[in-house]
Amino acid sequence: MKYRPDIDGLRAIAVLSVVIYHLHVYQFGMNILPGGFVGVDIFFVISGYLITKLIHGEMVEGRYSIVEFYSRRARRIFPALFFMSAVCAVVILIFCLPSVVENFRSSLIASTLFVSNIYFYATADYFAPGAEMQPLLHTWSLAVEEQFYIFFPLVLLLIRRYSALTQTKVIVGIALVSLAISAWLVWSNAAASFYLLHSRAWELMIGSCLAMGTVPVIRNAKLAEVCSALGMLLIAGSVMFYSASMPFPGPSALLPCLGAALIIHAGVHARSMVGQLLSLPPVRFIGLISYSLYLWHWPINVLMRLIGYWYAWDVDTQPFKIVALMLGFVTATLSWYFVERPFRHAAVFRVSNRVTLAMSGAIMAVLVISGAMLTVASKELWQLPPEVERIVSVTPTTTGRARDFKSCFISPRSGRDDLFDADTCLRMSASQQNYIVIGDSHANDLVNGLKKVNPEINFLQATAAGCKPVLDQPGQRLCRNLMEMMFFKFLPSAKVDGIIISARWKRDDLPYLKETMRLLSTYAPRVIVVGPHVEYKHDLPSLMALSVLQDDPSLLDKSRKTGQRDIDTLYQRELAEMGVPYFSLYDAICTAGNCRTVSGDGIPLSFDYGHLTESGGIYVAHKMREWGMRERGGL
């Protein structure tokens, strides 16, 4: 293929968008690139275009070899990826506790086998707080591409005997089906829509459609100028005005994808001003190192955070982010020069395609086996004291707190409304007071403790992970359906004695919450809002273990997120003006700036950044009962 410097420039736009987004760079209190995650979608379009152009061209000329294609993919993708994974494994083994190594081990195996998108679909929300502690989270997009590379050439092989028009219809048809699936899943199962191939394939196939001549070529210079400028405008608008809270990908991903497609297509036969800017040497160089930069920027950011907790660094400052960015560029340049280029071009590595694939398989096997042994090696290396071992062993399972999704605590990942068992979860008692707890996973944290501390009350429950208990807030279909059922069907007729609302509150939730309180106050004599949880920058058991190992109790205070106190203060003031009872979880746990970290039995209050253990839930329930007796004469 003819080299397209403007495509390298487009790669630079894509990777810089992702890198800056992941660093959470703020200016004047605003995230400067809140939609930078769409850089991945731009990469998908570019990859689909280049791969299809290559495969389709070779098929037309009758010289396509699937073995050679996979060999080229292995040379392009594997060396830098496997080297980055091995370095991450060594750093984590040396600097991180066995509990962190255990989580990393699974992701290492998944990324090596190119199924990390499926692994993270099952275990991690890309936009959730815990995601920033997953060094290999970004490999989900590589897994999507590799899976596409496995199946798409086979599709082209199957249809190559048919006419060009039929081939176009098949490719366009598959792309439209994939887009429809993505549009449906983004409301019913957002995690599946985000991570999985069948809802992302259409983005790569937009590039495929361009490469196969589906769209008429642009030969008019003025039209090329307009199309490329419009493409850049669509990308800039997406990067600057999209946010993590919007439904994505689905139809929202059309804008950045079409923007990338317009720029690519406009540059086939014409040279626009946008194309010239993208072809500038500094921009093009970033495009050349874009793969290595994408590979390294995220694990460097995560590993610096993990190491930073050990040394009590403030990992949210601008200097820290600048250092992470500079290290990312330096490492990416070295990786591109010493790892990527030699394996792709140097004569010394030019072995046969079959040998290349065999070597790749052997390295994959070594990484998988090494990953499986990481936990054992970590425990041998650290030899933790019994006190620390007891702390870091705290998990949802070991504390008895059920984190698996039950009929009263459901997951939007499932996309199934019928998993909520209303007959069980909303069963009223004729002999007891009836209180209902509504909210997300943080509301679910409270239920078991409230039941044990208040046996005289029958607690009903309607909770779903990530679902804010408010009116009209954008979100997944399952969340909206659950809250609409509660607010407009169940509560108006149930006549409960009390309603408890709890969630991982943000500043932006307050207007929605106020409107919800006006409605709920007509449904029950007592409506209580539970404030935000105390949160930490890392999981609490690990921080406690580090503070013991270093004999530094101040480590916990340094690692506590200060923004939650500000939100708590804001909610207390605003809801007090409305006369809404407000239980400050912060005041229950923190006194005079000192925050309690363990319950009465010595178990940490939280098992991660802020979700309560079962013991933590019981401790909070006692505090809530004391507050209720003091403020209201009862809960």
Side-chain angles (χ1 to χ4, degrees):
M1 287 188 299
K2 179 184 176 182
Y3 174 63
R4 292 274 305 273
D6 58 321
I7 290 182
D8 268 334
L10 189 58
R11 281 195 178 110
I13 298 296
V15 74
L16 287 176
S17 299
V18 175
V19 169
I20 295 174
Y21 169 76
H22 282 157
L23 286 175
H24 301 293
V25 179
Y26 284 79
Q27 189 68 35
F28 306 114
M30 298 175 61
N31 190 337
I32 64 171
L33 291 183
F37 53 86
V38 304
V40 173
D41 305 86
I42 298 171
F43 272 126
F44 283 159
V45 176
I46 295 172
S47 296
Y49 174 78
L50 294 176
I51 291 300
T52 306
K53 192 81 171 173
L54 179 67
I55 297 174
H56 187 253
E58 291 182 348
M59 285 184 177
V60 169
E61 296 173 4
R63 59 184 182 86
Y64 175 73
S65 165
I66 197 165
V67 173
E68 183 176 351
F69 169 74
Y70 288 141
S71 174
R72 285 198 301 259
R73 286 296 87 202
R75 288 175 180 269
R76 172 76 174 96
I77 300 296
F78 290 2
L81 173 64
F82 292 166
F83 179 65
M84 179 274 296
S85 299
V87 171
C88 286
V90 172
V91 173
I92 282 185
L93 184 64
I94 294 173
F95 287 99
C96 296
L97 294 169
S99 56
V100 176
V101 173
E102 175 68 23
N103 291 330
F104 173 79
R105 180 195 66 167
S106 300
S107 64
L108 174 63
I109 294 172
S111 64
T112 301
L113 298 176
F114 294 102
V115 292
S116 58
N117 61 327
I118 300 172
Y119 170 76
F120 287 120
Y121 161 65
T123 61
D125 183 343
Y126 182 80
F127 298 105
E132 63 188 23
M133 292 295 102
Q134 297 277 4
L136 300 180
L137 177 67
H138 65 318
T139 62
W140 73 269
S141 62
L142 302 181
V144 169
E145 287 198 17
E146 288 304 306
Q147 291 159 17
F148 181 80
Y149 296 153
I150 291 173
F151 294 109
F152 188 67
L154 301 178
V155 172
L156 292 181
L157 283 171
L158 289 174
I159 65 175
R160 65 176 176 174
R161 69 190 67 180
Y162 300 104
S163 67
L165 179 60
T166 300
Q167 292 181 39
T168 296
K169 288 180 178 179
V170 171
I171 297 303
V172 172
I174 295 174
L176 290 175
V177 169
S178 175
L179 174 58
I181 291 172
S182 182
W184 172 64
L185 284 177
V186 78
W187 295 107
S188 61
N189 191 342
S193 182
F194 188 89
Y195 281 118
L196 301 184
L197 173 63
H198 59 279
S199 60
R200 288 286 193 169
W202 66 272
E203 301 182 30
L204 290 117
M205 295 181 77
I206 285 179
S208 300
C209 290
L210 295 179
M212 295 181 68
T214 303
V215 183
V217 297
I218 300 174
R219 299 185 185 277
N220 183 282
K222 290 185 178 179
L223 182 58
E225 289 284 1
V226 171
C227 288
S228 60
L230 177 59
M232 187 59 71
L233 186 64
L234 291 175
I235 290 174
S238 304
V239 169
M240 294 174 64
F241 298 110
Y242 278 15
S243 70
S245 62
M246 69 185 299
F248 194 87
S252 300
L254 276 169
L255 264 64
C257 288
L258 291 178
L262 284 169
I263 292 173
I264 292 171
H265 199 54
V268 174
H269 290 288
R271 187 168 174 81
S272 66
M273 184 177 296
V274 169
Q276 292 179 48
L277 291 174
L278 292 176
S279 301
L280 291 173
V283 181
R284 190 159 47 89
F285 176 75
I286 295 175
L288 288 173
I289 67 169
S290 60
Y291 175 56
S292 282
L293 182 55
Y294 182 80
L295 279 181
W296 282 101
H297 84 279
W298 178 251
I300 283 175
N301 188 22
V302 175
L303 293 174
M304 284 182 63
R305 285 177 172 273
L306 290 171
I307 296 172
Y309 297 135
W310 180 266
Y311 294 104
W313 295 340
D314 188 350
V315 298
D316 293 319
T317 62
Q318 292 293 89
F320 179 90
K321 294 174 182 180
I322 292 172
V323 171
L325 182 63
M326 292 174 61
L327 278 177
F329 268 96
V330 171
T331 308
T333 303
L334 295 174
S335 172
W336 169 72
Y337 190 83
F338 291 107
V339 181
E340 275 194 71
R341 292 176 73 252
F343 278 93
R344 291 176 63 188
H345 305 298
V348 68
F349 293 111
R350 286 179 182 171
V351 296
S352 70
N353 294 323
R354 297 185 184 278
V355 171
T356 297
L357 294 176
M359 291 172 59
S360 300
I363 295 172
M364 290 173 69
V366 169
L367 276 175
V368 169
I369 294 171
S370 300
M373 298 173 61
L374 272 180
T375 303
V376 175
S378 178
K379 290 181 178 179
E380 288 295 321
L381 179 65
W382 281 83
Q383 295 289 316
L384 297 175
E387 177 189 0
V388 175
E389 189 71 53
R390 179 172 178 267
I391 294 172
V392 297
S393 67
V394 171
T395 66
T397 303
T398 58
T399 61
R401 183 194 185 284
R403 288 299 301 165
D404 53 324
F405 293 99
K406 302 295 186 181
S407 59
C408 302
F409 175 46
I410 56 178
S411 169
R413 292 173 182 269
S414 66
R416 293 176 53 191
D417 300 84
D418 59 337
L419 292 179
F420 181 72
D421 185 357
D423 292 338
T424 300
C425 308
L426 304 178
R427 184 178 298 157
M428 300 282 285
S429 171
S431 59
Q432 296 175 294
Q433 284 189 318
N434 293 286
Y435 273 65
I436 183 168
V437 179
I438 307 175
D440 59 12
S441 57
H442 290 265
N444 182 62
D445 287 347
L446 305 173
V447 176
N448 286 339
L450 288 172
K451 288 180 177 180
K452 291 184 177 181
V453 174
N454 304 278
E456 74 282 4
I457 298 177
N458 175 49
F459 284 96
L460 293 70
Q461 179 181 358
T463 53
C467 293
K468 299 290 178 66
V470 293
L471 296 167
D472 300 326
Q473 190 178 58
Q476 296 187 56
R477 177 181 58 82
L478 184 146
C479 293
R480 296 197 315 276
N481 289 352
L482 178 63
M483 296 309 162
E484 287 176 2
M485 180 189 75
M486 298 308 303
F487 296 154
F488 300 117
K489 294 181 180 179
F490 176 75
L491 288 174
S493 59
K495 293 183 172 54
V496 296
D497 299 288
I499 302 172
I500 298 175
I501 298 292
S502 177
R504 187 171 186 257
W505 301 115
K506 299 294 185 183
R507 287 180 178 272
D508 295 343
D509 297 325
L510 187 55
Y512 298 102
L513 179 60
K514 286 183 174 182
E515 189 64 28
T516 305
M517 289 301 100
R518 294 185 182 97
L519 174 68
L520 296 187
S521 62
T522 65
Y523 294 156
R526 295 179 179 178
V527 181
I528 301 169
V529 174
V530 178
H533 291 210
V534 177
E535 293 189 9
Y536 292 86
K537 298 174 183 178
H538 193 24
D539 67 275
L540 181 59
S542 292
L543 290 172
M544 292 173 63
L546 291 176
S547 69
V548 172
L549 291 173
Q550 297 184 34
D551 192 24
D552 181 13
S554 68
L555 180 65
L556 295 169
D557 293 332
K558 296 173 185 175
S559 302
R560 192 165 55 248
K561 292 183 178 180
T562 57
Q564 296 302 101
R565 167 55 89 185
D566 297 334
I567 295 172
D568 177 67
T569 302
L570 173 66
Y571 273 52
Q572 284 196 66
R573 183 180 67 250
E574 296 290 326
L575 294 177
E577 292 178 358
M578 295 180 62
V580 174
Y582 179 83
F583 174 68
S584 172
L585 201 55
Y586 230 98
D587 289 344
I589 295 175
C590 303
T591 304
N594 296 316
C595 295
R596 190 183 183 99
T597 56
V598 297
S599 57
D601 56 5
I603 298 295
L605 290 180
S606 300
F607 62 82
D608 61 3
Y609 72 91
H611 285 103
L612 297 173
T613 58
E614 185 177 35
S615 297
I618 293 173
Y619 174 83
V620 168
H622 278 293
K623 288 291 185 179
M624 194 169 179
R625 184 179 177 90
E626 294 172 8
W627 167 84
M629 294 298 294
R630 183 175 65 252
E631 300 290 331
R632 310 176 58 86
L635 187 60

